Amino acid sequence: MVALDGPSGTGKTTVARKLADRLGAGYLDTGAMYRLVTLAVLRAGTDPADTDAVGHLAHDVHFSIGTSPERPEVRLGEEDVAADIRGPEVTQAVSAVSAVPQVRELLVARQRRIIADVLAATGGIVVEGRDIGTVVAPESPLKVYLTASADVRAARRSGQDSAAGRETSVAAARESVERRDRLDSTRTASPLRAAEDAVPVDTSELSIDQVIVALAELACRRG
Ligand code: C5P
């Protein structure tokens, strides 16, 4: 198993999926799970800042999440919401929802079940998030903490947005990633931070392929 943590815009998702593919392992995007609950909160008209209401609602959200690195499915009920969970409204509200302790408790339990099932079935999984090495799977044999400079992260996020048909200036993307990282790293419940034994990888000057090669080598030695 590989635990891949780090702030937004470090290339985590691309790296995690390609690495899983290369290792013949499963893949779990835990950020997508927090985004799913956030989408359900917004659709229910619930205020993301209303901790009690969000905590209650989270218990009734029925979703499914795929673990195939090629095309991980994301469904709310039966509906395919892979695009909806990446929209600006969800991105804006997700840090508030993910700071609610009941939401984390529910999702971490579910993440651990999925990891156990995939490990039993395929023998390997790459899991990406913010607290995988620290909380979800501290026993993971390989923990990696991806970083990148604020400029690089903003440029990558802006590029991803425009590829998805949402034009965002680099300045706006920078403000958005910095705001989310500030909220994610200062919350009380499982804040974003590197596990003490995580391998730090700064992706600012590296291509995706260079990162994959480095991580695949580490995974083969430790994974
Ligand atoms: O990875 P992604 O940017 O899609 O994550 C969206 C949000 O979900 C993060 O900004 C963070 O608030 C939350 N998250 C979390 N713990 C995780 C994964 C994501 O709190 N393990």
Side-chain angles (χ1 to χ4, degrees):
M1 165 170 178
V2 182
L4 201 57
D5 289 303
S8 10
T10 50
K12 250 187 357 258
T13 300
T14 313
V15 167
R17 287 176 64 174
K18 288 197 169 179
L19 180 64
D21 195 35
R22 187 168 173 144
L23 298 173
Y27 160 71
L28 180 61
D29 177 0
T30 62
M33 297 170 76
Y34 289 96
R35 287 174 179 273
L36 269 162
V37 174
T38 305
L39 181 64
V41 164
L42 295 177
R43 284 191 177 174
T46 301
D47 177 0
D50 185 342
T51 308
D52 288 342
V54 169
H56 274 109
L57 187 139
H59 285 272
D60 298 326
V61 179
H62 294 284
F63 68 84
S64 57
I65 180 143
T67 55
S68 142
E70 294 89 37
R71 197 180 167 279
E73 280 200 344
V74 187
R75 290 184 186 277
L76 190 57
E78 293 300 309
E79 183 188 348
D80 179 347
V81 292
D84 308 62
I85 62 165
R86 309 278 161 206
E89 297 83 7
V90 170
T91 299
Q92 169 75 19
V94 67
S95 292
V97 171
S98 71
V100 176
Q102 291 103 309
V103 172
R104 303 205 72 81
E105 223 171 89
L106 272 172
L107 294 188
V108 167
R110 176 110 174 235
Q111 287 156 15
R112 289 183 177 145
R113 284 198 299 276
I114 296 172
I115 292 168
D117 288 349
V118 173
L119 283 177
T122 67
I125 186 165
V126 179
V127 186
E128 66 153 301
R130 303 288 191 289
D131 61 344
I132 311 306
T134 50
V135 174
V136 177
E139 73 290 353
S140 180
L142 176 58
K143 302 175 192 176
V144 177
Y145 193 81
L146 291 188
T147 58
S149 70
D151 283 344
V152 166
R153 296 195 291 127
R156 283 185 188 151
R157 195 36 61 90
S158 161
Q160 281 165 1
D161 281 351
S162 60
R166 295 184 299 268
E167 286 311 323
T168 315
S169 69
V170 176
R174 185 176 178 136
E175 208 173 289
S176 165
V177 294
E178 286 183 343
R179 173 184 166 275
R180 208 139 56 89
D181 294 344
R182 194 172 56 249
L183 294 172
D184 291 345
S185 52
T186 55
R187 70 182 173 218
T188 317
S190 325
L192 163 70
R193 66 179 171 83
E196 273 174 21
D197 52 349
V199 181
V201 177
D202 185 338
T203 66
S204 308
E205 308 283 328
L206 299 175
S207 70
I208 291 290
D209 284 340
Q210 287 172 316
V211 179
I212 307 284
V213 169
L215 296 193
E217 268 174 28
L218 276 172
C220 289
R221 270 190 267 143
R222 292 211 218 166

